[in-house]
């Protein structure tokens, strides 16, 4: 999994957040997307890294401004069962 975080300016309410989230869901195969108007933040979880240029276009087409974008692989956390039955 990859976590992509971006700053998004111009969101003023929950409807703005929903607008940005819907645009991302329609443009990319994502597992989860969350926007916060109070933090000016967009967080996306996906199986593969997202194309930054396409993400920028998607957000800008909604009428919002996108700033810094960062993407990093998610640290894989062991499942509860594997932690319970870990040997060694």
């Amino acid at each position: 999994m990859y976590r992509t975080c971006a700053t998004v300016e111009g969101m003023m309410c929950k409807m703005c957040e929903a607008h940005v989230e819907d645009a991302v869901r329609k443009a990319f195969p994502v597992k989860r997307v969350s926007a916060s108007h109070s933090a000016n933040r967009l967080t996306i979880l996906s199986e593969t890294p997202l194309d930054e240029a396409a993400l920028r276009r998607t957000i800008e087409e909604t009428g919002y401004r996108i700033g810094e974008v960062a993407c990093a692989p998610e640290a894989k956390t062991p499942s509860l069962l594997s932690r319970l039955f870990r040997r060694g």
Side-chain angles (χ1 to χ4, degrees):
M1 295 290 259
Y2 289 84
R3 179 182 299 268
T4 302
C5 297
T7 57
V8 177
E9 295 179 16
M11 295 186 292
M12 304 302 271
C13 63
K14 293 285 186 189
M15 289 300 294
C16 295
E17 294 172 357
H19 191 211
V20 169
E21 292 170 355
D22 288 344
V24 171
R25 281 190 198 97
K26 288 177 184 175
F28 303 98
V30 299
K31 292 292 184 181
R32 187 171 43 180
V33 59
S34 175
S36 169
H37 73 280
S38 60
N40 293 329
R41 193 102 177 127
L42 173 66
T43 304
I44 305 164
L45 288 179
S46 57
E47 292 286 337
T48 59
L50 301 182
D51 177 350
E52 184 178 333
L55 178 61
R56 288 182 178 282
R57 270 192 312 277
T58 298
I59 300 303
E60 289 169 2
E61 286 173 358
T62 63
Y64 302 98
R65 294 173 305 283
I66 185 167
E68 182 180 335
V69 176
C71 178
E74 280 271 290
K76 198 163 194 162
T77 56
S79 69
L80 176 60
L81 286 177
S82 66
R83 286 184 283 177
L84 287 173
F85 295 106
R86 187 181 323 175
R87 295 183 185 204

